[in-house]
Amino acid sequence: MSNPILSLCMPTNGVSEWVFPVLDSIYSQGCKNDDFEVVITDNGNNEEFKQYIKAYIQKHQNIQYFETTALPFLNEIESYKRANGILIKFVNHRTKLLPGALKLLIEYARNNACNKPITYFSNGELKLEEKEKNCGTFDEFISSLSYWSSWSTGMTIWKEDFKKLPNDVSGFNELFPHTDVLFSEKNRSSYVINDTIIFDEIPQGKKPKGSYDLFYAFGVEYPSIILELYRNSSITAKTYQKVSRDNLAFVAELYFKYFIKKEYCSYDLSGLGDMYCVFYRKQELMAALLKVVLNKLKNKVR
């Protein structure tokens, strides 16, 4: 395809149980193939998946499939580089599009192709009173998104803006490359958060979701990215403190999930001790954990 309105970019490591239900959810929407393309970049070594995807492509001519050696998260940038659409939307290989979602994204791209606001689809996670929030400044945008800016699934970027970024993937953050993309335009007059629920996550099961150091990623690396925004005067101290505080609550949720409930985990959890005293002290995490437990008990009673 040469000029689709929308590119759905799906980096993957080749988990068939996730990728094909996601693809089916896209192609069951009934949208014209000329309006969109699907870009799949595969950095896995699942030969069975590679054969299945090549057979799937024969049925859908608007799929681009590429094999890559890009590191896990940098694979996302590789998918963007190969996109041809006016608007690029990241699609997690484990999140199915709900009915009507593809039409919504195509119409959003068509209706906003002139002014090109920086856009993030938060999938109902922010529980906004209205489905769409317009922010007039980068600071308001980051404050409103809070720690959800660490979540790549909401990512959207106009191809015109992405082309301004370095072509070499080595220049992007290895754990959170999407933040380099999302935060690249700090002086726009329009930032949009769309909180419409458009995705449905496939249960992880026993498939490994990731193997990186979880508490380093969210307890050290991500807060350092937000701190850098404050240090270069892109956000205010108030916004930095809000995002940092909200992120601590999220880290406490992770602690509850993997250390208290002992849910299945493929992540490296060894970085917890090293996390303390970088941005968050152990006492602060335990206090946040207590709030998590109390909230869960309160909700259970209701």
Side-chain angles (χ1 to χ4, degrees), residues 231-255:
R231 292 180 64 185
N232 63 31
S233 301
S234 298
I235 62 174
T236 62
K238 182 179 179 181
T239 293
Y240 167 70
Q241 290 163 0
K242 177 184 183 294
V243 178
S244 182
R245 182 173 61 250
D246 292 347
N247 186 62
L248 173 60
F250 173 64
V251 172
E253 287 274 2
L254 296 176
Y255 186 98

Side-chain angles (χ1 to χ4, degrees), residues 155-220:
M155 270 299 303
T156 312
I157 183 73
W158 299 95
K159 181 67 173 179
E160 182 179 300
D161 289 330
F162 181 73
K163 288 168 70 174
K164 300 175 188 175
L165 297 173
N167 191 54
D168 185 358
V169 295
S170 65
F172 291 84
N173 186 293
E174 288 189 13
L175 283 173
F176 298 97
H178 73 277
T179 61
D180 291 318
V181 179
L182 184 63
F183 300 161
S184 62
E185 295 286 335
K186 301 181 179 67
N187 297 302
R188 297 285 265 274
S189 60
S190 182
Y191 298 84
V192 174
I193 300 173
N194 189 308
D195 207 34
T196 305
I197 299 175
I198 58 176
F199 292 115
D200 181 30
E201 193 170 278
I202 298 172
Q204 178 184 352
K206 293 296 182 180
K207 288 288 181 182
K209 189 177 176 182
S211 58
Y212 59 91
D213 189 326
L214 188 67
F215 287 97
Y216 170 79
F218 291 99
V220 179

Side-chain angles (χ1 to χ4, degrees), residues 8-291:
L8 299 176
C9 289
M10 189 193 310
T12 184
N13 59 350
V15 182
S16 297
E17 293 88 338
W18 297 343
V19 172
F20 292 107
V22 172
L23 287 173
D24 289 343
S25 77
I26 293 170
Y27 286 99
S28 65
Q29 305 264 323
C31 294
K32 293 191 299 182
N33 283 0
D34 288 344
D35 285 341
F36 74 98
E37 67 174 357
V38 176
V39 180
I40 301 171
T41 48
D42 176 14
N43 64 359
N45 54 11
N46 185 342
E47 291 301 324
E48 184 178 55
F49 170 80
K50 295 180 192 298
Q51 295 305 312
Y52 285 158
I53 194 63
K54 289 172 184 176
Y56 198 98
I57 291 171
Q58 298 306 311
K59 305 174 187 176
H60 304 283
Q61 299 304 310
N62 62 338
I63 296 180
Q64 294 194 72
Y65 172 72
F66 304 92
E67 295 184 48
T68 176
T69 57
L71 294 172
F73 295 109
L74 295 177
N75 192 9
E76 177 181 349
I77 305 302
E78 289 292 342
S79 69
Y80 295 168
K81 286 167 60 176
R82 290 165 169 80
N84 297 299
I86 296 171
L87 181 66
I88 298 170
K89 179 71 191 79
F90 175 87
V91 176
N92 188 298
H93 68 170
R94 201 164 62 89
T95 51
K96 297 186 293 183
L97 269 68
L98 293 174
L102 182 54
K103 180 181 178 182
L104 181 152
L105 290 169
I106 291 171
E107 289 182 349
Y108 184 87
R110 184 176 284 122
N111 293 338
N112 292 276
C114 290
N115 59 338
K116 295 182 174 61
I118 303 303
T119 306
Y120 186 93
F121 283 87
S122 50
N123 204 50
E125 297 292 351
L126 296 181
K127 298 178 174 56
L128 300 179
E129 291 184 9
E130 296 184 7
K131 291 301 181 183
E132 190 168 285
K133 179 173 182 176
N134 289 278
C135 303
T137 65
F138 181 75
D139 182 67
E140 183 186 0
F141 181 59
I142 299 304
S143 178
S144 299
L145 272 184
S146 187
Y147 70 90
W148 284 101
S149 65
S150 68
W151 190 53
S152 60
T153 299
M155 270 299 303
T156 312
I157 183 73
W158 299 95
K159 181 67 173 179
E160 182 179 300
D161 289 330
F162 181 73
K163 288 168 70 174
K164 300 175 188 175
L165 297 173
N167 191 54
D168 185 358
V169 295
S170 65
F172 291 84
N173 186 293
E174 288 189 13
L175 283 173
F176 298 97
H178 73 277
T179 61
D180 291 318
V181 179
L182 184 63
F183 300 161
S184 62
E185 295 286 335
K186 301 181 179 67
N187 297 302
R188 297 285 265 274
S189 60
S190 182
Y191 298 84
V192 174
I193 300 173
N194 189 308
D195 207 34
T196 305
I197 299 175
I198 58 176
F199 292 115
D200 181 30
E201 193 170 278
I202 298 172
Q204 178 184 352
K206 293 296 182 180
K207 288 288 181 182
K209 189 177 176 182
S211 58
Y212 59 91
D213 189 326
L214 188 67
F215 287 97
Y216 170 79
F218 291 99
V220 179
E221 187 65 19
Y222 175 68
S224 74
I225 293 170
I226 302 303
L227 177 61
E228 187 60 26
L229 292 179
Y230 169 64
R231 292 180 64 185
N232 63 31
S233 301
S234 298
I235 62 174
T236 62
K238 182 179 179 181
T239 293
Y240 167 70
Q241 290 163 0
K242 177 184 183 294
V243 178
S244 182
R245 182 173 61 250
D246 292 347
N247 186 62
L248 173 60
F250 173 64
V251 172
E253 287 274 2
L254 296 176
Y255 186 98
F256 179 82
K257 185 175 183 178
Y258 296 120
F259 284 100
I260 306 299
K261 291 184 68 178
K262 299 188 182 301
E263 292 186 12
Y264 167 74
C265 179
S266 61
Y267 299 109
D268 178 0
L269 302 179
S270 64
L272 177 64
D274 293 337
M275 179 192 79
Y276 298 136
C277 296
V278 180
F279 285 95
Y280 306 120
R281 293 179 299 165
K282 184 174 183 178
Q283 297 93 317
E284 291 175 316
L285 178 60
M286 292 301 107
L289 177 63
L290 180 59
K291 290 181 181 178

